[in-house]
Every structure is written in C-alpha cells, then in structure tokens.
Amino acid sequence: MDFRQAFDDLNYLDQLNPNFKDVRALMDTAQLKGTDFVHVYTKNETNMVIPARLQDDLLDFSTYGINDKWTVYHNNRQKSINYDYGMIVNFRNINISPEQVKEKQFIKEKQIKDGTKTLLDSNGNVVKDSIGNPIKVDNFKTISVSIYEFTQFKACQVTAKVDYIDFRNNQLIDTFPLSSEFVFDYIYANYNGDKRACEDSYYQYFDRRAVPFPSNEQMIFDSGEDLKAKLKGIITNNKFRR
C-alpha cells in the first residue's frame, strides 16, 4: 500500500513538473511493487475429463477486462514474478443426463374462411338488403390437424468452487460457489391433417428431422460461457485486497 501511495505522489509530482529527474522510472517501480499478481488455475476433482478448450477459454483473462490498476491476473505462471495470491477454480462435479426423446400427440382445430354463403333467417328464408338482393356472408369451416411432436433433451450441470489463496502465508482467504447448467432442447414434428389449424410459428418444426445429440464433451464446453460470466462476477465483486 505504501508503494501505491508513492505512485500517486510521484504522479502528482510529474503533473507539476513533467519529466522531473527519474520520476517516470520511479513511478514504474512503484507500479510494479504496488501491484498484486494473481495466479489463476484449475483443478479437476470430478471423475470426468474437462475439455482443454474449456479450461483455456475459462482462463483467457484477456477477454474478461478485469485487470485493474493494481491487480493483474495470469493463467501462465511467470518465473520473474512473485505471486501474491492464487485463484483456483475447482471443478467439483459434472452431471450429464441421459439422452431422451419425449413424444406427445395433440390435435389443433381452427375455423377458417371458406368462401361465402347466402344469409338465412331463423326460419330458413333468404335475408335480402333494402333493394332486394340476397345478403352474402363469410362461410367458415372447421379444420383440424393431428400433430406428433418429438423433443430431444439432454442436460449438463457443472458445479465448482473458486478458492482465493494468500500465497504469502498459504491461507485460504475465501471460497465462492460456481455452477452452470446447459440444456440441449430440440423439437421436431410431423402431422396428419390440415396444418393451417396450428399457429404459423409452429410450422418450423415440421421442416425438421431428428439430429445427433451433442457429445458429453461438447455439453461441458457449452456450459463455459455461463461459467465465464459468473466467474467474472465473482472476481469483480470480490477483490483480493479490500
């Protein structure tokens, strides 16, 4: 903290008297000595293989935008740096559901316009207008469709914890839970009857066919974006040095 104060003082001096003696070099030294360096790495405590590309993406801190003036995160340990803190992402459990195909059948009905017809009164007589012409009205008919819907479903849940370690005394500072769920949910359908009886937005399912289920590795990887967002939230809201 003294180096951080020295940096601010030197910065103020540089504003008053730019390039005074070796103030810029001293500022660089104060910046380096006042910075907390954090080594970030993962541990796998599950009985499954964590895809390397997920770990690489999760630890690509250049995409997080979280390095600040006094805290720098490294996923590759550098020999020239003495790290103050460690952040360990411990993968604790990965649950992947069986591949499921759920089926259901239902019927849709709708009234649609089907030409016109002559308007009749309650006695069955033709109703005419003021000049004696028969009055025409829309004729409606009921159409129906029987739909056979199939839903392919598979879910993956990843649970982890984030440990903050103080390397100066090898003490655990804090622990935060981290979890994510990714769901593969794909619908396709076929029908018998007049498809106009269902909503236009449903037509897309009639153009589909069954697709291969994603692999377990792909499911785990697809949970990564959510994990990354939550990890960034933990780091942003919980600084190492308060």
Side-chain angles (χ1 to χ4, degrees):
M1 302 307 291
D2 290 339
F3 283 112
R4 296 183 184 185
Q5 182 60 54
F7 178 91
D8 291 339
D9 292 341
L10 289 164
N11 187 45
Y12 179 63
L13 174 60
D14 190 53
Q15 291 175 19
L16 292 176
N17 192 351
N19 298 316
F20 177 75
K21 291 187 177 180
D22 54 354
V23 67
R24 295 287 176 86
L26 289 171
M27 285 176 64
D28 290 342
T29 300
Q31 174 85 57
L32 179 64
K33 291 183 178 295
T35 296
D36 284 327
F37 288 93
V38 183
H39 181 215
V40 188
Y41 52 102
T42 62
K43 283 186 177 179
N44 184 4
E45 298 178 359
T46 74
N47 58 357
M48 300 187 70
V49 175
I50 307 293
R53 56 185 179 142
L54 171 59
Q55 297 186 68
D56 292 343
D57 192 48
L58 202 61
L59 298 184
D60 183 7
F61 277 77
S62 63
T63 63
Y64 281 71
I66 54 172
N67 286 342
D68 58 35
K69 181 179 178 181
W70 297 114
T71 312
V72 176
Y73 298 84
H74 288 167
N75 59 330
N76 291 316
R77 199 177 185 104
Q78 299 180 19
K79 292 181 179 179
S80 60
I81 293 176
N82 290 321
Y83 288 88
D84 305 279
Y85 300 103
M87 187 176 78
I88 310 169
V89 181
N90 283 289
F91 290 96
R92 308 297 300 278
N93 201 13
I94 297 176
N95 293 314
I96 299 178
S97 73
E99 298 175 356
Q100 305 170 49
V101 179
K102 302 174 183 177
E103 302 179 25
K104 70 175 181 179
Q105 180 182 1
F106 54 94
I107 295 173
K108 289 272 191 178
E109 291 186 346
K110 182 192 289 185
Q111 282 198 327
I112 64 169
K113 183 179 176 181
D114 183 34
T116 60
K117 63 180 180 180
T118 302
L119 180 63
L120 303 177
D121 62 18
S122 58
N123 295 320
N125 300 314
V126 174
V127 179
K128 298 180 180 180
D129 60 20
S130 58
I131 59 175
N133 294 321
I135 296 175
K136 296 290 185 178
V137 294
D138 290 338
N139 183 50
F140 289 91
K141 70 175 182 178
T142 300
I143 58 173
S144 66
V145 62
S146 182
I147 297 173
Y148 306 87
E149 182 182 277
F150 304 86
T151 302
Q152 293 179 248
F153 179 85
K154 186 177 181 180
C156 170
Q157 184 185 51
V158 178
T159 57
K161 68 184 180 81
V162 180
D163 292 334
Y164 279 18
I165 307 293
D166 189 335
F167 280 156
R168 295 165 300 183
N169 54 22
N170 286 323
Q171 295 294 311
L172 177 66
I173 301 172
D174 215 336
T175 297
F176 306 94
L178 180 67
S179 66
S180 176
E181 184 175 45
F182 181 79
V183 174
F184 173 77
D185 196 30
Y186 182 84
I187 297 174
Y188 63 98
N190 52 51
Y191 67 93
N192 186 16
D194 193 329
K195 72 175 183 179
R196 293 177 299 169
C198 68
E199 300 80 4
D200 292 350
S201 60
Y202 197 85
Y203 287 6
Q204 59 178 314
Y205 301 126
F206 297 140
D207 297 327
R208 295 179 178 180
R209 295 295 181 267
V211 297
F213 281 93
S215 66
N216 289 353
E217 179 180 327
Q218 185 64 44
M219 292 288 291
I220 297 170
F221 179 75
D222 287 338
S223 70
E225 281 304 310
D226 185 47
L227 279 174
K228 196 168 184 177
K230 290 178 177 177
L231 180 58
K232 181 177 180 179
I234 289 173
I235 299 168
T236 302
N237 296 320
N238 301 277
K239 300 297 184 182
F240 279 89
R241 194 187 295 273
R242 295 177 175 86

